[in-house]
Amino acid sequence: MSSEENQDCECAPPQAESTPAAGYDRSVEESDIENPEASRMKRAAAKHLIERYYHQLTEGCGNEACTNEFCASWPRFQRMDNNTAAVKALELYKINAKLCDPHPSKKGTSSAYLENSAKGIHHNSACSDRTMSRKETPAARDDFKDLNFLTEEKVYEILEICGETEDYSPLIRAIGRVFSSAEGLVQSFRKTKPHTKEELKSLQAKDEDKDEDEKEKAACSAAAMEEDGEASSSRLGEGASQGDNNVQKLGVDEVSVDIDAVRRVYNKLLANEKIEAAFLNALVYLSPNVECDLTYHNVYSRDPNYLNLFVIVMENSNLHSPEYLEIALPLFCKAMSKLPLAALAKLARLWSQYSAEQIRRMMETFQQLITYKVISNEFNSRNLVNDDDAVVAATKCLKIVYYANLLGGELDTDHNEEEDDEPIPESSELTLQELLGEERRNKKGPRVDPLETELGIKTIDCRRPLIPFEEFINEPLNDVLEMDKDYTFFKVETENKFSFMTCPFVLNAVTKNLGLYYDNRIRMYSERRITVLYSLVQGQQLNPYLRLKVRRDHIIDDALVRLEMIAMENPADLKKQLYVEFEGEQGVDEGGVSKEFFQLVVEEIFNPDIGMFTYDETTKLFWFNPSSFENEGQFTLIGIVLGLAIYNNCILDIHFPMVVYRKLLGKKGTFRDLADSHPVLYQSLKELLEYEGSVEEDMMITFQISQTDLFGNPLMYNLRENGDKIPVTNENRKEFVALYAEFMLNKTVEKQFKAFRRGFHMVTNESPLKYLFRPEEIELLICGSRNLDFLALEETTEYDGGYNKDSRIIRDFWETVHSFGEEQKRLFLQFTTGTDRAPVGGLGKLKMIIAKNGPDTDRLPTSHTCFNVLLLPEYSSREKLRERLLKAIMYAKGFGML
């Protein structure tokens, strides 16, 4: 052995069965069968050498000028994965290959323990330990050399002895040994129950026998080898079964680890820097082999207690610290991401019982790793963040915390909207096979997250999570994500390519909107190709667009009649790109004409005089009119218009309460939804619930309520059968409030809303809309942002035709626009972009171009709303610019050809 192997060390290396190690020569075992102690020492020496070969292959010696071809520090060395390195280490041991001495630059790093790893293995070998303190006795060290798992009491016992001797080496070795061993960690910190005297005697006898077995097991380990890995997994199962005698019977979602004990131990130990380093080093050893166990040996199905390992490690409050972010935490996240679905669900249920502070700590741990990796790498279209194993693994782990956050919040898994009686007509996508005489293949329904299905909840079920949804969004990740590539991975669903769209909680609304845009555009192109194919095969008239030709003064009649015909004859045409033409106008629809079409339709439909919707002056919101004379078909067509606006990326000036978007996603309205849809009624019912006197005697109300119809006539409704004879009391007032909310938000508008939702789903049923967006994000998607930040618009505006940001006319232009009032700014946006609302993400996401349109003139400014282009002549003065611009935006209406 080299002199480096006999050096003193501050912390001993972890002795892990799961670390890459090798077996031993069987002839040696047979020759030493009569001397088990000598055999154990030889095996330990072999194990140590193989570990050194392994770390030489994976980390190197640290010498940049190394000439050893079997060292990762050799300049021409070919990198290999952990499993390959483990096999190669065994081969190098057999041929007695060259071992490098660790270079001084490696000392003091996270791999420092490799230099001194003999210390933790050769308890009785010729390799001497560090010179002991005079206060320390040899017996103090020997007491814990064969410790294979930890309890809270044992940790405190070792800590007390170490405190007396002022030498924490025994505790450091014990932590290294147990926390680097999957078997040891799984059996540590178990919940216990009191035993009878007979049980204690029996357990003591079993423990004596088990001690001998454990010594034999700890001597030989090679988890990276499949054969040895299987043996390790079986030993783990045996150990767990032996330990079950002192563990209480567990429920489906319980774990056998004493979490409170683990927290107390961490609080005691993490204050000591040397001890903390032992946790760090052990995690580096542990993680790759846990990943191997879960990937190849199906260890969780053999022993569900394997989950204890992840519970214990995640209680370490220092996981987000810089020391862990480089190596230890990425390796651990990769291991955790390999857990089977049932284990992920069990972890989510367990963590959902934690406090908001504990959930936030775990969330911040994974967010910190994602941010660190994103910032420390240069991701682009050639180096995708999707290919970074650490970022992908951390995102998968963050998903567990996200669902724990949902489960721990205020859930409403009931009150689901009923599905439509009639199926939504299918799109003609993928009908190429049908045209060629083949059946449709690989037909898929709406995407559902497997963990969501396993847990039986959806994001929409959570009314209020433990910590806000917004805290799970990682902005640095959104900045480097190539959404076109990510969307491709999302649609293809290959195992070797990860899509962040499968974890929409980590994406902001802007990024998700871009993913939805790609989905809509690809669907439009698909419909266009199918139409061309139909025209070639069946001789049909070529019509690749959804064409609407309307008159301005009859826009509702023309549009709704045309859409009704399409919905009846071929609903798949609704998935085509919209192309609007105003009769008698020359405008070509490249997006701008459609924007004005939607605005005019919305203004007409939501006109209170039509009577389809009611308007609340206090909330400035619309609600379905339960007394409307319009038939269900009219509401279906309005739903189609709303779906078309999303599908064609147009913003609408619609003011619905949030409950409408919740209902579109499948949740019925409840009492708390009355707060924004019917605030006066909500306040009254809230006071009823909080009333401390006698409700029956003081209020004298029954389960019969009164509503007025369209003409102001009172109508009586019973919330329960014979409701007029059932008084509301302190005992049944909650039922009364729930039935009242159900009546107002669901029953009275059931027919209107079902028709509206059906029309909406005709366009969006195959879209990932429900999968990606929460109700408040859908509102933002449809209505845009109400916050108009013109400074952000100025920063992102581009110039053409000879203008630049320093041109006199441009400086005058922005000074003029910034001086406008709120209404004038909205008119300017309407004139330039076709809508007076900011897109998702604010005006900074709007790509506006100001182009020169000739010298000074009396002509008004003009615009191409399709492309957000403002054509601005070079006016001679700021006053003339203001006068011409105001006249243009105040009186602009209609389209023409320039």
Side-chain angles (χ1 to χ4, degrees), residues 427-629:
S427 166
S428 58
E429 185 185 9
L430 297 179
T431 52
L432 175 60
Q433 290 86 356
E434 295 176 336
L435 289 173
L436 299 177
E438 302 176 16
E439 294 183 359
R440 179 178 294 196
R441 294 181 295 213
N442 301 324
K443 182 182 177 183
K444 299 174 184 176
R447 184 189 289 263
V448 179
D449 192 290
L451 185 55
E452 180 180 286
T453 304
E454 183 74 15
L455 292 169
I457 64 162
K458 303 174 184 176
T459 299
I460 188 70
D461 292 334
C462 186
R463 299 301 302 248
R464 185 180 178 184
L466 285 175
I467 57 178
F469 291 114
E470 291 74 19
E471 293 192 28
F472 283 86
I473 297 172
N474 190 289
E475 293 296 347
L477 173 63
N478 282 266
D479 291 340
V480 301
L481 186 60
E482 299 287 337
M483 205 56 199
D484 53 343
K485 305 286 196 310
D486 192 84
Y487 173 76
T488 303
F489 302 151
F490 178 73
K491 294 298 287 184
V492 174
E493 295 187 63
T494 57
E495 291 185 3
N496 59 342
K497 286 294 185 181
F498 176 78
S499 168
F500 288 95
M501 285 180 69
T502 60
C503 298
F505 56 85
V506 82
L507 305 177
N508 58 34
V510 177
T511 306
K512 288 190 278 192
N513 186 40
L514 189 56
L516 184 66
Y517 173 80
Y518 285 128
D519 185 80
N520 293 340
R521 288 292 159 180
I522 289 174
R523 205 173 298 279
M524 289 176 186
Y525 298 150
S526 174
E527 291 295 339
R528 196 177 303 171
R529 289 194 298 269
I530 293 298
T531 301
V532 172
L533 192 58
Y534 266 114
S535 67
L536 294 174
V537 175
Q538 298 182 348
Q540 293 184 358
Q541 182 179 356
L542 185 62
N543 188 16
Y545 297 99
L546 172 59
R547 289 184 176 272
L548 294 179
K549 188 172 184 179
V550 296
R551 297 167 291 175
R552 279 187 180 270
D553 51 350
H554 295 83
I555 190 167
I556 294 296
D557 295 337
D558 293 351
L560 297 190
V561 167
R562 175 67 179 144
L563 288 174
E564 186 175 17
M565 291 175 59
I566 293 171
M568 293 173 59
E569 295 175 359
N570 187 13
D573 281 356
L574 296 173
K575 306 287 176 61
K576 295 177 180 178
Q577 184 175 350
L578 181 63
Y579 187 94
V580 177
E581 180 182 350
F582 284 105
E583 192 172 287
E585 298 181 18
Q586 297 175 310
V588 177
D589 191 5
E590 292 289 344
V593 180
S594 295
K595 290 179 186 177
E596 179 156 355
F597 163 76
F598 281 119
Q599 183 187 5
L600 295 174
V601 168
V602 166
E603 286 179 1
E604 289 287 332
I605 287 176
F606 287 91
N607 187 338
D609 295 338
I610 293 182
M612 296 183 71
F613 296 91
T614 59
Y615 182 69
D616 190 324
E617 291 289 347
T618 57
T619 61
K620 309 295 183 185
L621 297 174
F622 288 94
W623 184 247
F624 296 89
N625 185 353
S627 305
S628 173
F629 292 127

Side-chain angles (χ1 to χ4, degrees), residues 9-16 18-20 55 59 106 108-116 172-173 175-181 273-289 316 319 323-324 327-329 331:
C9 65
E10 287 296 331
C11 65
Q15 290 185 20
S18 53
T19 54
H55 288 286
E59 295 188 8
K106 291 287 282 185
T109 66
S110 63
S111 302
Y113 55 77
L114 298 178
E115 303 171 25
N116 311 299
I172 290 170
R173 284 198 302 273
I175 290 173
R177 196 157 48 242
V178 173
F179 274 74
S180 66
S181 164
E273 292 183 3
K274 295 178 181 177
I275 297 176
E276 183 184 2
F279 285 117
L280 172 65
N281 295 335
L283 190 58
V284 174
Y285 268 98
L286 173 71
S287 300
N289 304 288
N316 185 339
L319 282 178
E323 294 81 9
Y324 285 86
I327 299 175
L329 188 56
L331 290 175

Side-chain angles (χ1 to χ4, degrees), residues 4-68:
E4 294 290 334
E5 295 177 58
N6 298 307
Q7 285 186 352
D8 295 340
C9 65
E10 287 296 331
C11 65
Q15 290 185 20
E17 279 191 75
S18 53
T19 54
Y24 44 87
D25 192 26
R26 196 165 296 279
S27 62
V28 174
E29 179 187 12
E30 292 170 356
S31 64
D32 288 330
I33 229 164
E34 295 179 358
N35 188 351
E37 184 63 21
S39 174
R40 190 187 67 78
M41 290 171 59
K42 289 179 180 179
R43 291 171 185 165
K47 175 181 183 327
H48 165 60
L49 283 175
I50 294 168
E51 284 181 341
R52 287 199 61 194
Y53 280 122
Y54 172 77
H55 288 286
Q56 179 175 290
L57 290 167
T58 55
E59 295 188 8
C61 65
N63 182 3
E64 296 181 358
C66 180
T67 58
N68 185 355

Side-chain angles (χ1 to χ4, degrees), residues 808-809 811-817 819 875-885:
R808 177 196 60 80
I809 184 70
R811 292 199 306 270
D812 291 345
F813 169 81
W814 284 116
E815 287 181 15
T816 301
V817 170
S819 69
Y875 296 114
S876 57
S877 67
R878 184 185 305 173
E879 291 73 19
K880 186 174 184 180
L881 167 65
R882 182 182 180 87
E883 184 267 333
R884 297 279 88 187
L885 185 59

